[in-house]
Amino acid sequence: MKPQSSPKTYRVKSFGCQMNVYDGERMAELLGERGIQPAPEGEEADLVILNTCHIREKAAEKVYSDIGRLVKAGNKAGKAPLIAVAGCVAQAEGEEIMARAPAVSIVVGPQAYHRLPEMLDTAANGGRATDTDMPAIAKFDALPGRKKRGPSAFLTVQEGCDKFCTYCVVPYTRGAEISRPFAHLVAEAQKLVETGACEITLLGQNVNAWSGEDDKGRKTGLGGLIRTLAEIDGLERIRYTTSHPNDMDDDLIAAHGEVDKLMPYLHLPVQSGSDRVLKAMNRQHTAESYLKLLEQFRAVRPDIALSGDFIVGFPGETEAEFEDTLRIVDEVRYAHSFTFKYSPRPGTPAATMEGQIAAEVMDDRLQRLQARIAHHQFAFNKASVGKTCQVLVERTGKLPGQWLGKSPWLQSVWFESPAAIGDLVEVTLDEAGPNSLMARLRQTITV
Ligand code: 5AD
Ligand code: SF4
C-alpha cells in the first residue's frame, strides 16, 4: 500500500526525557506551519512521528514493534501512514532502521528536525529521507515561533553532553555541548509567557553548563540567564533540569537564595554513593563533594527539595557499594528521585566492563533503593503539612470539582475549590500521601 502523498494530519509520540517532549512540540509547530493538523483523538494520523529515546535497552525493539503496529493499523484502515523516526534511536541506528523497516520514510536525528518539511516533500513523492547530521549551527533559528501551550512550558537552553559517563549514550546521540544564545532564549521565554505560560522549565542534558553573553556582552552562566528571565512580567516560576554536579557555579547557587521566581527544587543526579563506582562511571565527583555541594544549596535555600537519579547494578557493584548508595539517600533525604537498573548500551565503555550484574541482584537492589526513596519522599510530604504555598493549577482531578497543581517543591497537590487551569492559587497543605498532598484553597492570585 502506498503512503498517501501529502499528509493532512499528524501524531507525534515522544518517549523518554523532557527534551524529547520539547522537541516533539517544536516538530508539531513546524507541521502546523505547513497546515498539517493534529489527528483527532481515536483517528489514525496520516503522518506519525516516533520521537524515540535510546537511554536504556530495548529502545530499538520498541521502535520496530511500534512501526509494525502502525503498518497493521494502516492496512486495516486502508491507508498506510507516513512514518518518521526521530530522536536518539534515529540518531544512533538510522541506517539500520532504513534497511530493516521499509515502511519508514523519514529518519531524522535530534539536531536535524528543522529539515522535516523538505524531508516530507521527498517522502510525499514516494522517496525516503535521512538526516542524522549534528551541525553546530542552531536548528532553533530555522524553527517557527512558539504556539499557545499550557501554563507550564519547556525551553531548551543547552543540548548535548561532553561528560562521557561510561554507561551513557547521550554524548553520542545528542553530540557535544552547545548553548543557545542569550537573546534567543529571552525572546523565546517572552513569547512563551505571551502565549500563556507562567512557569518555564529550562532544559538541557547539562543545563547548568549553559553559558553565553548577556545583552551587555558580559559572559554569563545559567544563574545570570535565570536572573534576566525573572524580570519578565507574567513569568512566575522558573525551574531547570538536568544538572551535573561539576558544572554548578557560585552564581547559580546564589540565585537560589536571591531569585524568588526560581523554585526551591534541584534535580542533581548522583547515580551512586560509592566512590569506586563513581570513578568507574567517570562521574568526576565523589559522594563527599556532592554532599558538600548540596550543603551550599541548603545554606542559601533551607527548604530546597532535592531530587536525584540513581543507577543500581553498574558493572562490578558490590553489596557494600550498593549500601553506600542507600546511605547517601538517607543522608540527603531526597524529596523525589528516579531509579534505574543499569542497562548496557552498545558502544559505551561500561557495556564491555567485567562484572556485569545478574538480573535478580539488580531487581533486588532496585526494590530496596525504591523503598528507601519512597520513605524519604513520604517524610518530605508529611513535613510539608501545615505550610501555605502557591500551587500552579495544571489539570482537573479525577473527581468532579477537583483540581491538580504543583507546589513550589514540585509535589502534586489536590484541592476542591473552583479554579481554572493556569491559575496560581494559594493553598494550605492539609494532608500528605506518599505521592501527593491534599490542600485547602485560601485565595486565587491573579498573574
Ligand atoms: N543504564 C541505566 N540508566 C541510565 N541512565 C543513563 N544511562 C543509563 C544506562 N545505560 C540514567 C542516569 C541518567 C538518567 C537520565 O538515566 O541515571 O541520569
Ligand atoms: Fe549522560 Fe553523564 Fe552526560 Fe548525564 S552527564 S547526559 S549521564 S554522559
Side-chain angles (χ1 to χ4, degrees):
M1 200 171 313
K2 259 176 77 76
Q4 69 167 65
S5 44
S6 261
K8 294 188 180 50
T9 60
Y10 71 85
R11 179 162 294 124
V12 182
K13 283 179 74 180
S14 287
F15 303 90
C17 67
Q18 287 153 323
M19 190 146 339
N20 262 10
V21 175
Y22 175 88
D23 289 344
E25 287 175 5
R26 304 298 318 253
M27 285 190 260
E29 286 162 1
L30 260 177
L31 299 173
E33 287 269 296
R34 292 207 120 200
I36 309 174
Q37 303 296 327
E41 195 72 38
E43 271 180 37
E44 303 297 334
D46 300 338
L47 164 68
V48 179
I49 299 180
L50 300 172
N51 192 20
T52 58
C53 172
H54 202 235
I55 200 116
R56 281 169 290 277
E57 83 200 310
K58 306 218 173 79
E61 292 92 291
K62 197 165 157 20
V63 174
Y64 289 114
S65 71
D66 275 352
I67 294 167
R69 210 167 309 131
L70 288 170
V71 170
K72 219 163 142 192
N75 284 340
K76 213 165 134 197
K79 102 182 161 177
L82 263 177
I83 301 175
V85 181
C88 293
V89 180
Q91 187 66 41
E93 303 190 21
E95 270 176 35
E96 210 181 315
I97 294 171
M98 276 301 194
R100 251 182 77 177
V104 172
S105 303
I106 294 172
V107 163
V108 61
Q111 305 306 352
Y113 63 76
H114 56 291
R115 292 201 49 238
L116 252 181
E118 34 183 310
M119 299 174 89
L120 269 175
D121 288 340
T122 306
N125 289 320
R128 302 177 87 201
T130 304
D131 192 342
T132 50
D133 280 355
M134 286 206 261
I137 63 124
K139 68 183 166 233
F140 298 99
D141 294 345
L143 295 171
R146 302 308 311 267
K147 297 281 174 329
K148 197 164 170 46
R149 297 263 156 207
S152 183
F154 291 132
L155 172 54
T156 292
V157 304
Q158 178 280 345
E159 271 196 81
C161 181
D162 299 339
K163 301 289 182 292
F164 291 92
C165 299
T166 53
Y167 51 81
C168 185
V169 284
V170 167
Y172 311 97
T173 55
R174 289 274 173 170
E177 287 175 6
I178 57 153
S179 293
R180 292 182 65 196
F182 180 90
H184 294 201
L185 296 171
V186 176
E188 191 170 326
Q190 258 154 353
K191 188 83 195 170
L192 286 168
V193 172
E194 277 163 30
T195 57
C198 67
E199 173 175 274
I200 292 182
T201 302
L202 308 177
L203 296 180
Q205 265 93 27
N206 270 302
V207 70
N208 58 341
W210 181 86
S211 73
E213 272 184 16
D214 69 10
D215 47 352
K216 299 194 178 62
R218 291 172 304 208
K219 195 168 170 0
T220 177
L222 192 67
L225 177 65
I226 288 171
R227 289 170 203 272
T228 303
L229 296 181
E231 286 165 18
I232 299 177
D233 274 344
L235 177 60
E236 300 299 322
R237 292 177 154 198
I238 302 171
R239 302 181 183 277
Y240 61 93
T241 196
T242 288
S243 297
H244 189 287
N246 290 6
D247 287 324
M248 278 302 174
D249 65 24
D250 291 345
D251 186 51
L252 181 54
I253 298 171
H256 276 272
E258 292 162 10
V259 180
D260 288 343
K261 293 182 180 180
L262 181 56
M263 291 293 102
Y265 185 93
L266 174 67
H267 179 65
L268 193 63
V270 65
Q271 316 296 357
S272 167
S274 149
D275 286 344
R276 195 212 54 88
V277 173
L278 287 170
K279 191 146 195 281
M281 287 177 163
N282 191 32
R283 289 290 295 177
Q284 301 181 51
H285 60 79
T286 60
E288 195 190 331
S289 68
Y290 174 85
L291 289 170
K292 281 226 168 84
L293 188 57
L294 294 187
E295 267 171 39
Q296 290 181 266
F297 279 91
R298 280 186 162 142
V300 296
R301 190 73 216 224
D303 70 334
I304 197 161
L306 298 166
S307 145
D309 286 348
F310 297 88
I311 297 177
V312 299
F314 185 80
E317 184 190 66
T318 63
E319 172 61 23
E321 287 166 345
F322 168 68
E323 284 168 15
D324 288 339
T325 300
L326 294 179
R327 233 183 318 276
I328 206 167
V329 167
D330 286 342
E331 200 145 338
V332 175
R333 292 170 278 115
Y334 290 93
H336 191 75
S337 276
F338 299 91
T339 52
F340 308 101
K341 287 190 271 189
Y342 168 70
S343 164
R345 311 309 296 128
T348 60
T352 48
M353 282 182 187
E354 296 203 343
Q356 301 285 324
I357 305 291
E360 315 80 75
V361 176
M362 275 209 245
D363 286 337
D364 171 66
R365 289 181 187 169
L366 186 72
Q367 270 188 19
R368 287 156 65 201
L369 178 61
Q370 283 177 340
R372 200 63 76 90
I373 283 169
H375 166 81
H376 290 293
Q377 181 173 321
F378 198 6
F380 185 86
N381 287 348
K382 283 193 255 192
S384 306
V385 170
K387 280 187 184 170
T388 293
C389 67
Q390 293 186 356
V391 163
L392 178 59
V393 182
E394 291 187 350
R395 60 179 177 86
T396 52
K398 286 181 209 103
L399 303 173
Q402 205 181 41
W403 297 90
L404 178 68
K406 287 278 161 49
S407 76
W409 307 280
L410 213 60
Q411 296 148 302
S412 293
V413 176
W414 304 92
F415 64 94
E416 284 178 358
S417 307
I421 291 171
D423 277 354
L424 202 55
V425 298
E426 191 173 271
V427 302
T428 300
L429 302 172
D430 274 342
E431 207 184 306
N435 301 307
S436 62
L437 291 118
M438 302 292 290
R440 209 169 353 121
L441 183 74
R442 294 173 73 95
Q443 59 167 323
T444 301
I445 298 148
T446 335
V447 178

